[in-house]
């Protein structure tokens, strides 16, 4: 299968602003009837549009997969001095215990319910749960981890790029046994200046300790808070393995 050759460097922290409280999902429909779906969540301050180009490149390798790119609601973000931007939940601080802090639980739970509703919509449209992958970048990766491993029916997989596990202290009690064997792909750059590499690695180790049995963590040397063609090729490989062509 061909590789992704176009350079993609998806940005640090704030890539674009959202002026409405809700923006419709971006849906990339494949050229044939889809037999699988990837739901991919953007990072803080971005939108579903911000990841459309990258997902189109993935779709070129996976023409049987539909890509759904939702946009988080606009909300005041504490670490940005209360300035409103698209986000999956408020972030109050970054610190050495970032992966263990309890953030805006109400916002996080609200976003989980939104993603659960998208999963349910896909299942009703004919895509079985075991052909649906949930993934994301940065805060979107955190929300994906939080959602996928609580889902009550086994999903096809979870992708977390440059992310971390929120509410990790509480998470073992929140996880659902049906998804402990769900394939997990995590990747993180060693030079990440926003979500520190150690936060991502410790989140992965925590999930394994909590019972996740089918996971892979990839260290990307010299990469910051971004995504590269090398990483996206690994994501495409993961998608092909977990929801192969039918």
């Amino acid at each position: 299968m061909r590789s992704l050759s176009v350079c993609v460097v998806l940005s640090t922290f704030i890539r674009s602003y959202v002026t409405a409280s809700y923006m419709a999902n971006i849906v990339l429909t494949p050229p044939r009837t889809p037999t699988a779906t990837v739901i991919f969540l953007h990072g803080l301050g971005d939108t579903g549009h911000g990841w459309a180009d990258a997902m189109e490149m993935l779709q070129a390798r996976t023409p049987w997969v539909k890509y759904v790119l939702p946009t988080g609601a606009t909300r005041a973000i504490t670490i940005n001095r209360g300035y409103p931007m698209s986000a999956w939940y408020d972030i109050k601080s970054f610190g050495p215990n970032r992966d263990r802090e309890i953030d805006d639980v109400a916002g996080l739970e609200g976003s989980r319910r939104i993603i659960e509703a998208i999963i349910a919509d896909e299942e009703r449209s004919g895509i079985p749960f075991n052909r649906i992958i949930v993934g994301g970048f940065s805060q979107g990766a955190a929300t994906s981890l939080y959602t996928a491993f609580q889902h009550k029916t086994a999903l096809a997989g979870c992708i977390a790029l440059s992310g971390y596990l929120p509410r990790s202290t509480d998470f073992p009690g929140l996880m659902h046994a049906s998804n402990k064997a769900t394939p997990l792909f995590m990747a993180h750059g060693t030079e990440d200046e926003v979500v520190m590499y150690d936060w991502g690695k410790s989140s992965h180790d925590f999930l394994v300790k909590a019972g996740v049995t089918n996971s892979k963590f990839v260290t990307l040397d010299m990469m910051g808070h971004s995504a590269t063609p090398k990483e996206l090729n690994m994501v495409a490989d993961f998608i092909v393995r977990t929801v192969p062509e039918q």
Side-chain angles (χ1 to χ4, degrees), residues 14-15 25 33 41-42 44 60 78 82 92 94 97 124 133 141 151 168 197 216 222 225-226 235 241:
I14 302 171
R15 191 155 178 235
N25 299 338
T33 301
L41 313 184
H42 62 79
L44 180 65
T78 302
K92 303 187 187 316
F94 278 128
N97 294 320
R124 281 191 293 269
I133 296 172
H151 195 264
S168 60
Y197 171 82
K216 181 176 184 179
M222 304 306 294
H225 197 60
S226 62
V235 170
R241 285 196 305 271

Side-chain angles (χ1 to χ4, degrees), residues 27 48 64 73 88 97 131 143 149 175 188 190 215 245:
V27 179
W64 60 92
W88 301 107
N97 294 320
R131 299 278 296 173
T143 306
F149 290 101
M175 293 175 70
H188 216 111
T190 58
S215 67
E245 185 172 8

Side-chain angles (χ1 to χ4, degrees), residues 204-215:
H204 173 264
D205 294 346
F206 190 92
L207 284 164
V208 170
K209 186 176 180 181
V212 173
T213 61
N214 187 0
S215 67

Side-chain angles (χ1 to χ4, degrees), residues 141-176:
T143 306
S144 297
L145 290 169
Y146 187 75
T147 302
F149 290 101
Q150 290 191 68
H151 195 264
K152 292 179 172 57
T153 307
L155 299 174
C158 182
I159 298 165
L161 309 181
S162 303
Y164 61 94
L165 178 66
R167 296 191 68 191
S168 60
T169 302
D170 303 327
F171 203 67
L174 300 174
M175 293 175 70
H176 199 280

Side-chain angles (χ1 to χ4, degrees), residues 8-165:
V8 176
V9 178
L10 291 162
S11 73
T12 69
F13 223 35
I14 302 171
R15 191 155 178 235
S16 59
Y17 297 111
V18 181
T19 56
S21 61
Y22 173 78
M23 184 178 290
N25 299 338
I26 303 301
V27 179
L28 304 180
T29 304
R32 65 185 76 165
T33 301
T35 62
T37 298
V38 171
I39 302 164
F40 195 88
L41 313 184
H42 62 79
L44 180 65
D46 205 347
T47 70
H49 286 279
W51 279 85
D53 289 347
M55 296 300 110
E56 284 175 352
M57 288 189 290
L58 293 181
Q59 195 172 61
R61 279 193 60 187
T62 57
W64 60 92
V65 178
K66 178 201 296 185
Y67 289 81
V68 180
L69 314 177
T71 292
T74 299
R75 65 190 82 214
I77 301 300
T78 302
I79 59 167
N80 200 37
R81 300 181 181 179
Y83 192 91
M85 59 176 60
S86 54
W88 301 107
Y89 51 88
D90 186 21
I91 295 179
K92 303 187 187 316
S93 67
F94 278 128
N97 294 320
R98 168 75 265 130
D99 59 332
R100 293 180 172 82
E101 289 180 11
I102 297 176
D103 282 292
D104 168 17
V105 176
L108 180 60
E109 276 294 317
S111 291
R112 182 180 70 84
R113 288 191 293 270
I114 289 169
I115 305 312
E116 289 274 10
I118 296 173
I119 293 170
D121 285 345
E122 290 304 301
E123 195 273 336
R124 281 191 293 269
S125 76
I127 306 295
F129 290 123
N130 65 2
R131 299 278 296 173
I132 297 173
I133 296 172
V134 178
F137 174 79
S138 192
Q139 195 190 57
T143 306
S144 297
L145 290 169
Y146 187 75
T147 302
F149 290 101
Q150 290 191 68
H151 195 264
K152 292 179 172 57
T153 307
L155 299 174
C158 182
I159 298 165
L161 309 181
S162 303
Y164 61 94
L165 178 66

